[in-house]
Amino acid sequence: MAGIGALSGTRTASGAVSGAGIRLENLTKRYAGSPGPAVDNVTMDIRPGEVVVLVGPSGCGKSTLLKMINRLIEPTSGRIQIGEEDVTGIDPVKLRRKVGYSIQTSGLFPHMTVAQNIALVPKMIGWSKGRVSSRVEEMLDLVGLDPGEFHGRYPRQLSGGQQQRVGVARALAADPPVLLMDEPFGAVDPITRDHLQDELIRLQHELHKTIVFVTHDFDEAIKLGDRIAVLRERSLIAQFDTPEAILTNPADDFVSGFVGAGAALKRLNLTRVRDVGIVDFPTAAVDDPLQEIFDLLRSGTTNEVLLLDRHRRPYKWLRRGDLTLAKGTLARAGTLVHDTVTRDATLRDALEAVLTDNAGRVAVTGRRGEYIGVVDMETLMNNVHELLEEDRLEAMQHRHELAEARARRTRQAQEGLGGAGGSLA
Ligand code: ADP
C-alpha cells in the first residue's frame, strides 16, 4: 500500500527507525464462551509517525484491539497490515520484534537487572554484545535515567515512575517502527504521570515512531494524541479525529459525554509551554562570588535572580532583600525552587505551577533539568484568553455554517417547488 512505509520503517536523520503505518481491516475478536464479539469489525488507518490514542469506557475492547496489532491476541477475523506487510499470518514472535510493547505494570522481569531487561529483545534478535550494551546505555539516557546509577538495579529498587521509564526503554530497545502502549501510566501518581507524559512527547519529537496508546483518561488522550479514536462498546469507533476537532465538534452525545464538562479548560491541555513566550530571567550560579550577585541585584535592572546549581538546574529565587540576611553565605537566603516545568508541559501544568508560586512564575527546564527560561502568570493568562477567544470564534463560525447550510436547503426546496409549479403551468 502506497505511503504507509515499510514494516522495517524509514530512518530519521539520527539513523533511528521511524514509524510505519498501520491498517486494521474488519478486525473482529470473539472470546470463546462470550455471546457477542469484544471487538466488532473495526477498520482503522494509522499514519506513519502519528500517535493515535484509543480511548473509551472500561470494557469497550481497547486492550483487545491493541493486542491484536502485535497478535498477543489472535483476531477471529480481519486483517492487520504494518507498513507494506500483511502481518495477520506471520510468525507472531517475529512480529513482536518489530512492535514495541509497554504496559501498565511496566512488565519488567523482577529477577533481571534494569540492563538485562532492556537488553532482552536486542539479544534475542542476535545483536552483538557490544552493540547491545551500548544500546542499553543509550536507552537509559533516552528515558532520562542515569546509566551509571540504574544499570545494575533490580525493578523492586525503582520507583513506579522509574519502572515505567525502563518499560519504555525496553519497548524501544530494538528500535521498532511501532510502539503499542496499554495504559502505561495508569498505575503511577498524577505528578509522575504528568512527567512521564511530557517525556513521551519529547521522545516522540526525536523518534517519530508510530504509537498506538490505550487509555480511559480523556485528558491523557488530549495531551498525547495526534488523533484520538473514541471507542464505544465492541470498539466501535464513535469518532476518530484530532483532539481539537473532537473538543470543538463532538460527533454525538456519547462523545460529548466522554469529553465531559469544561471543554474550554481542556484546551489548556492542547497547548505546550514551548508554544508560549518563555522569557529569559536574570540568573546567577551558586559558585559565583557573592559580590557579583550583590552587584547584579544592586544594579537596579532586576530585584530578583534565579540561582542555578552546579548542573545549571534552578535552585533558589533570590530577592534583593534576601541578601541583607545572607551574611556572607547564600546557604539560608532565598526561596527554594519547588516546581519546574519542561517545554513539553501543557499550559495546564504550567498554570498549576504558577498558581502555587508566590511570585506567579515557574522556571522552564530542559532534558536534564537545566534552566531554559521562565514563564509567568501574565503570559499564561494572555494565552488562555486567546485560546478561549479562538474557541468562541470557532463555535460561532460553526453555528454560522450550520445556519447557512439550513438556509441553502430551504432555498433549494423552495426552488424545487417553484420549478415544479412552473412545469405545471
Ligand atoms: P478495555 O481494554 O476497553 O477495558 P478489554 O479489551 O479488556 O476492554 O475487554 C473487552 C471485553 O472483552 C470485556 O467485556 C472483557 O470482559 C472481555 N474479555 C477480555 N479478555 C477476555 C478473555 N480473555 N476471555 C473472555 N473475555 C474477555
Side-chain angles (χ1 to χ4, degrees):
M1 190 179 196
I4 213 169
L7 171 58
S8 52
T10 46
R11 287 184 185 273
T12 62
S14 65
V17 171
S18 59
I22 302 171
R23 178 164 174 76
L24 309 178
E25 225 174 88
N26 306 111
L27 218 49
T28 293
K29 177 68 190 179
R30 288 173 190 281
Y31 287 110
S34 304
V39 171
D40 193 2
N41 201 26
V42 170
T43 295
M44 184 183 263
D45 267 311
I46 297 167
R47 301 176 195 128
E50 97 175 315
V51 179
V52 165
V53 180
L54 309 178
V55 65
S58 178
C60 75
K62 307 179 289 293
S63 285
T64 303
L65 183 60
L66 188 81
K67 286 181 189 149
M68 284 197 281
I69 301 178
N70 65 357
R71 309 231 329 273
L72 272 175
I73 291 177
E74 287 293 348
T76 309
S77 60
R79 225 169 66 93
I80 309 146
Q81 184 177 323
I82 298 183
E84 305 290 342
E85 195 174 350
D86 184 338
V87 299
T88 328
I90 73 167
D91 173 10
V93 177
K94 196 175 137 220
L95 172 64
R96 271 165 234 156
R97 292 170 193 167
K98 301 276 187 193
V99 180
Y101 181 56
S102 139
I103 55 175
Q104 186 173 104
T105 51
S106 84
L108 299 175
F109 291 111
H111 58 286
M112 289 185 181
T113 63
V114 163
Q116 287 165 337
N117 266 289
I118 299 175
L120 217 58
V121 183
K123 262 188 174 164
M124 202 168 76
I125 57 178
W127 286 18
S128 72
K129 230 174 164 174
R131 189 173 171 208
V132 172
S133 74
S134 66
R135 184 68 178 170
V136 168
E137 309 291 291
E138 191 192 339
M139 287 295 102
L140 279 171
D141 194 51
L142 184 75
V143 298
L145 295 173
D146 178 3
E149 194 181 338
F150 289 95
H151 188 278
R153 287 214 203 163
Y154 286 90
R156 65 170 186 282
Q157 298 169 315
L158 306 175
S159 71
Q162 289 164 344
Q163 287 187 28
Q164 250 4 100
R165 283 167 200 261
V166 176
V168 172
R170 187 177 67 175
L172 288 170
D175 206 12
V178 171
L179 182 58
L180 306 180
M181 306 185 87
D182 195 351
E183 302 233 17
F185 311 143
V188 294
D189 64 87
I191 293 176
T192 309
R193 188 178 318 143
D194 264 347
H195 283 152
L196 289 170
Q197 291 165 345
D198 292 347
E199 285 282 295
L200 183 63
I201 293 164
R202 181 187 60 72
L203 275 180
Q204 178 64 353
H205 275 303
E206 279 179 41
L207 301 175
H208 311 287
K209 302 288 182 189
T210 305
I211 300 180
V212 189
F213 189 107
V214 161
T215 183
H216 61 267
D217 174 359
F218 194 71
D219 288 330
E220 182 166 68
I222 291 177
K223 184 167 172 184
L224 297 177
D226 294 315
R227 286 194 295 163
I228 300 174
V230 183
L231 304 178
R232 55 171 93 234
E233 71 288 353
R234 290 175 282 130
S235 274
L236 298 176
I237 301 173
Q239 191 167 11
F240 186 22
D241 212 328
T242 61
E244 289 86 348
I246 291 177
L247 282 175
T248 42
N249 262 323
D252 56 25
D253 287 349
F254 176 80
V255 178
S256 5
F258 214 78
V259 169
L265 285 175
K266 287 190 177 157
R267 290 278 268 126
L268 289 178
N269 283 337
L270 285 169
T271 310
R272 315 262 166 217
V273 168
R274 65 166 75 245
D275 303 322
V276 306
I278 301 176
V279 294
D280 213 11
F281 201 83
T283 60
V286 272
D287 292 332
D288 286 351
L290 210 50
Q291 191 59 47
E292 247 175 53
I293 303 176
F294 267 108
D295 292 345
L296 179 63
L297 281 171
R298 287 227 188 87
S299 66
T301 48
T302 176
N303 60 14
E304 192 174 26
V305 295
L306 178 57
L307 196 62
L308 308 179
D309 71 8
R310 293 191 176 89
H311 302 284
R312 293 198 49 76
R313 291 180 300 218
Y315 171 48
K316 274 180 178 180
W317 302 100
L318 266 186
R319 284 165 179 271
R320 209 176 296 176
D322 294 332
L323 291 188
T324 50
L325 307 169
K327 300 206 172 64
T329 159
L330 291 176
R332 283 199 289 180
T335 316
L336 282 176
V337 171
H338 66 88
D339 203 1
T340 57
V341 292
T342 66
R343 275 185 289 209
D344 289 319
T346 61
L347 284 203
R348 203 184 83 169
D349 298 337
L351 198 58
E352 248 165 41
V354 163
L355 286 172
T356 52
D357 181 280
N358 288 334
R361 45 134 166 79
V362 62
V364 183
T365 54
R367 197 164 155 199
R368 306 204 166 280
E370 77 281 8
Y371 164 82
I372 290 176
V374 161
V375 284
D376 59 22
M377 185 60 117
E378 197 185 337
T379 309
L380 288 175
M381 288 322 288
N382 287 341
N383 273 276
V384 171
H385 284 140
E386 274 170 32
L387 277 178
L388 295 182
E389 183 63 12
E390 268 171 35
D391 276 354
R392 207 175 59 79
L393 289 176
E394 210 162 316
M396 269 167 54
Q397 173 80 16
H398 183 59
R399 274 201 295 272
H400 178 69
E401 279 165 10
L402 282 179
E404 279 209 324
R406 254 198 311 273
R408 209 167 33 243
R409 274 200 302 277
T410 314
R411 243 189 344 264
Q412 278 162 354
Q414 281 167 350
E415 278 165 15
L417 276 180
S423 68
L424 277 175

